């Protein structure tokens, strides 16, 4: 039975695609686009979660002060308070990434596409050559997960880290390193 599959124009794109089928990446909620402190504060005070974010950010004001601020967008609010409002707003607007699950870190990866090591270049996952099989459990996922959680796991970074930290850990350096310079890849997770 086939497992989750990712596809992309590079190995990194296919890896990111399969990862996104398993967990939610860090992202910004589309409903949070306010720039002015007053609009941010108005949106935050409309939900319990927003009030919690203001409290967590350290905004401590009396209820009557809050009412004055909300009733007048031109009210002269200190910059330190505006900074706290902005921090609370960003904390609510950005949804953190889910951690990479063990299903992925311990998974068996089957990579189809052009693979080269030294003089050996093959289109893997065809009748002529089986997919490149990698045991994810032998790899070190710490750098990949750090980038993922920060929302900075770009396709080229994922490819580089996956080669260095997972492929090499499982099957070694290859003849002259590993190259994935094709224009289409599929990665199946088993």
């Amino acid at each position: 039975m086939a497992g989750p599959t990712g596809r992309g124009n590079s190995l990194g794109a296919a890896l990111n695609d399969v990862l996104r089928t398993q967990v939610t990446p860090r992202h910004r909620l589309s409903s949070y686009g306010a720039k002015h402190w007053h609009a941010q504060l108005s949106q935050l005070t409309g939900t319990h979660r927003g009030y919690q974010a203001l409290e967590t950010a350290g905004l401590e004001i009396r209820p009557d002060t809050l009412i004055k601020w909300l009733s007048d967008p031109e009210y002269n609010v200190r910059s330190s308070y505006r900074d706290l409002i902005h921090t609370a707003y960003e904390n609510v607007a950005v949804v953190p990434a889910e951690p990479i699950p063990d299903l992925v870190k311990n998974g068996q990866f089957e990579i189809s596409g052009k693979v080269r090591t030294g003089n050996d270049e093959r289109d893997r996952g065809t009748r002529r050559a089986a997919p490149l099989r990698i045991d994810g459990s032998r790899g070190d996922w710490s750098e990949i997960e750090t980038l993922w959680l920060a929302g900075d796991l770009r396709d080229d970074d994922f490819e580089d880290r996956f080669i260095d930290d997972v492929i090499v850990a499982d099957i070694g350096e290859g003849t002259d390193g590993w190259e994935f310079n094709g224009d289409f890849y599929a990665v199946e997770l088993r």
Side-chain angles (χ1 to χ4, degrees), residues 16-89:
N16 253 325
D17 191 39
V18 77
L19 184 56
R20 282 181 169 83
T21 68
Q22 300 304 299
V23 288
T24 304
R26 177 182 165 114
H27 63 282
R28 184 177 188 83
L29 297 171
S30 60
S31 58
Y32 284 82
K35 302 291 183 212
H36 191 267
W37 70 267
H38 186 267
Q40 291 176 349
L41 183 62
S42 295
Q43 191 169 3
L44 287 169
T45 56
T47 65
H48 180 67
R49 186 171 169 229
Y51 274 108
Q52 286 179 322
L54 287 166
E55 185 177 310
T56 301
L59 184 66
E60 295 178 13
I61 56 170
R62 295 190 326 249
D64 61 323
T65 302
L66 180 62
I67 290 170
K68 287 178 189 175
W69 289 3
L70 288 170
S71 64
D72 183 5
E74 299 302 320
Y75 194 89
N76 190 16
V77 174
R78 274 191 266 164
S79 65
S80 61
Y81 286 139
R82 290 193 308 264
D83 290 344
L84 293 174
I85 293 167
H86 178 73
T87 297
Y89 191 79

Side-chain angles (χ1 to χ4, degrees), residues 17 40 44 71 83 88 104 106 146 175-176 185:
D17 191 39
Q40 291 176 349
L44 287 169
S71 64
D83 290 344
V104 174
N106 297 326
T146 298
T175 307
D176 239 349
Y185 288 88

Side-chain angles (χ1 to χ4, degrees), residues 60-149:
E60 295 178 13
I61 56 170
R62 295 190 326 249
D64 61 323
T65 302
L66 180 62
I67 290 170
K68 287 178 189 175
W69 289 3
L70 288 170
S71 64
D72 183 5
E74 299 302 320
Y75 194 89
N76 190 16
V77 174
R78 274 191 266 164
S79 65
S80 61
Y81 286 139
R82 290 193 308 264
D83 290 344
L84 293 174
I85 293 167
H86 178 73
T87 297
Y89 191 79
E90 289 302 307
N91 288 342
V92 172
V94 176
V95 177
E98 296 174 348
I100 297 175
D102 289 340
L103 169 77
V104 174
K105 293 188 231 180
N106 297 326
Q108 302 297 312
F109 291 81
E110 291 192 355
I111 300 170
S112 298
K114 189 183 286 188
V115 179
R116 178 186 178 123
T117 180
N119 291 330
D120 182 10
E121 181 175 87
R122 302 181 212 176
D123 283 321
R124 304 300 295 253
T126 65
R127 288 184 190 171
R128 294 181 179 199
L132 178 62
R133 291 184 174 92
I134 303 299
D135 182 355
S137 68
R138 296 183 185 214
D140 177 2
W141 288 84
S142 57
E143 292 283 330
I144 294 170
E145 187 151 41
T146 298
L147 291 168
W148 170 258
L149 292 174

